[in-house]
Amino acid sequence: MAEPVRARRLTGEEGQRLQRIVRRGRHESVRVRRALIITASTSGTPVTAIARLVTAHEDTVRDVINAFNERGLAALGPRWAGGRPRLISDDEREFIITTAKTRSVGLGQPFTHWSLRKLTDYLARNRIRTVRIGRERLRQILREHGISFQRTRTWKESKDPDKDAKIDRIEHVTRNFLDRCFAFDQFGPLSIRPCHGSSWAGKKKPDRLPAACHRTRGIRYFHGCYSLGDDQLWGVTRRRKGGDHSLATLKSIRAARPDGAPIYVIMDNLSANKTPAIRTWAGKNKVELCLTPTSASWANPIEAQFGPLRNFVMGGSNHPNHPALARKLQDYLRWRNANARHPDVLVAQRRERAKVRCERQQRWGRPRPQAA
């Protein structure tokens, strides 16, 4: 008759380690169950009783005891198999990522962007490399590599040869002469038609605006002025953009500082903003025109002020005519100047600054990164 299987005598260190594993580990852990089998076997418990204790087959108990007698405490760790072999190699994963990041039009497909279904079909049928993969596994691989379905973005790149010099001048005057800096720009075109917006309403009963397919009564432009030091915004509505209207607006800015000291006006490169008459008047009245670079509207501080104007006056509106719209604009300007630090105004300004971010991915007012 064969001798019963029993674990060998434990050393002091082995006994301490087995006790720590049993006390601190989880009972469903493989290491804890094997430690229980070994400690029970060393105390003389038969295999059948140990099998009932750990709810395992007797052959499993014998295999654990024999493995401990041969390899010691190394037998506590399970030797897992390699698992199912990988169906997608590293090279195929790289090909999937490269294909997903490539515009589908560039690969001869008749659509502008990939969907999971279109991408899996292309990977399974293309002539370069065939990769058969399911949509869910494809989604997981894309997510592991930080690729998600996003909306496209646009940007403006200024090709003005004097771009750096103009930006440096604007930053210099706003840093050193803030109380004497003003910004000017035209906001528009403003047309008479319902504009979508947001408002409080009952669930599934949103406020509705009539659909307008025709723009009537022409358009208008709001000529806005902004005082950086006082944080005040004012302006007037005009029928068109013209040098005479820009000159009238600049005169209103000069009137805001009647002391005769130099002032600085930041505005864009619109031809109506730099006519000979405007340049002559500016030279006689100590007004320096700080022109922004071409295609760099983000450099004008007044752009951030037009965001709240668009949100609070134009959003969710249905003005009957241009005089009514002009009155609403002036009503908002009076409220805004009296509540310049209102949280809603500040939030709308921050959102607008994020929209007019420059090509350097740098928001206006943030210091430039130092060159290495």
Side-chain angles (χ1 to χ4, degrees), residues 190-192 220 237 313-314 317 319-331:
L190 306 176
S191 59
I192 298 303
R220 298 291 188 272
T237 304
V313 181
M314 304 300 299
S317 66
H319 302 294
N321 48 53
H322 282 295
L325 173 58
R327 287 194 296 270
K328 291 296 183 181
L329 285 172
Q330 296 302 324
D331 291 343

Side-chain angles (χ1 to χ4, degrees), residues 6-278:
R6 182 174 179 178
R8 61 174 174 79
R9 182 180 298 178
L10 300 176
T11 63
E13 182 181 356
E14 289 176 340
Q16 293 176 2
R17 288 191 58 186
L18 289 174
Q19 289 181 359
R20 286 198 299 267
I21 293 173
V22 172
R23 291 176 180 175
R24 299 178 182 178
R26 297 180 179 179
H27 291 288
E28 64 271 13
S29 172
V30 176
R31 291 175 57 86
V32 174
R33 293 182 64 190
R34 293 186 177 184
L36 286 172
I37 292 173
I38 295 171
T39 53
S41 179
T42 55
S43 63
T45 307
V47 171
T48 55
I50 297 175
R52 291 193 298 269
L53 175 65
V54 298
T55 317
H57 196 274
E58 295 180 6
D59 292 340
T60 302
V61 176
R62 293 189 182 94
D63 292 339
V64 172
I65 295 174
N66 290 330
F68 171 76
N69 292 336
E70 295 176 1
R71 297 184 285 115
L73 294 180
L76 297 179
R79 291 185 175 182
W80 303 114
R84 180 181 178 184
R86 294 175 58 185
L87 300 180
I88 302 176
S89 63
D90 292 337
D91 293 339
E92 290 175 337
R93 290 170 70 98
E94 292 295 332
F95 178 73
I96 292 173
I97 299 304
T98 303
T99 305
K101 296 166 68 174
T102 304
R103 293 291 296 265
S104 55
V105 176
L107 297 177
Q109 301 301 308
F111 37 81
T112 58
H113 61 275
W114 296 112
S115 66
L116 289 177
R117 184 175 284 104
K118 290 188 178 76
L119 186 55
T120 53
D121 293 342
Y122 175 80
L123 293 172
R125 299 177 182 178
N126 74 93
R127 299 179 180 179
I128 302 175
R129 172 176 291 180
T130 301
V131 181
R132 299 188 180 278
I133 185 174
R135 294 198 301 271
E136 178 60 22
R137 182 54 184 154
L138 174 61
R139 184 193 64 80
Q140 293 175 357
I141 292 177
L142 295 179
R143 184 174 182 179
E144 290 172 2
H145 288 78
I147 300 176
S148 59
F149 196 77
Q150 305 175 24
R151 296 181 62 87
T152 56
R153 297 291 186 269
T154 59
W155 76 93
K156 290 182 179 179
E157 183 176 358
S158 177
K159 297 182 180 180
D160 194 329
D162 300 327
K163 171 186 173 183
D164 292 335
K166 292 179 178 179
I167 293 296
D168 291 340
R169 182 57 181 169
I170 292 174
E171 291 182 349
H172 174 75
V173 298
T174 54
R175 186 183 302 113
N176 299 312
F177 310 104
L178 185 64
D179 291 339
R180 310 199 66 81
C181 281
F182 297 84
F184 162 64
D185 198 7
Q186 295 90 354
F187 174 62
L190 306 176
S191 59
I192 298 303
R193 61 187 180 91
C195 298
H196 292 290
S198 303
S199 63
W200 293 98
K203 288 185 177 181
K204 300 182 180 180
K205 293 182 180 180
D207 189 16
R208 298 185 181 276
L209 296 174
C213 300
H214 303 283
R215 300 182 182 182
T216 59
R217 303 180 181 88
I219 60 174
R220 298 291 188 272
Y221 293 94
F222 175 75
H223 289 57
C225 308
Y226 176 60
S227 173
L228 275 69
D230 301 335
D231 194 13
Q232 297 291 296
L233 180 67
W234 72 92
V236 63
T237 304
R238 304 286 188 180
R239 288 180 175 272
R240 58 181 175 83
K241 298 179 181 179
D244 53 344
H245 297 323
S246 297
L247 180 57
T249 306
L250 292 175
K251 289 181 179 179
S252 71
I253 294 177
R254 176 73 269 187
R257 294 291 187 274
D259 52 7
I263 62 173
Y264 308 90
V265 181
I266 304 170
M267 57 186 183
D268 58 27
N269 271 291
L270 184 69
S271 59
N273 295 343
K274 50 184 181 180
T275 61
I278 290 178

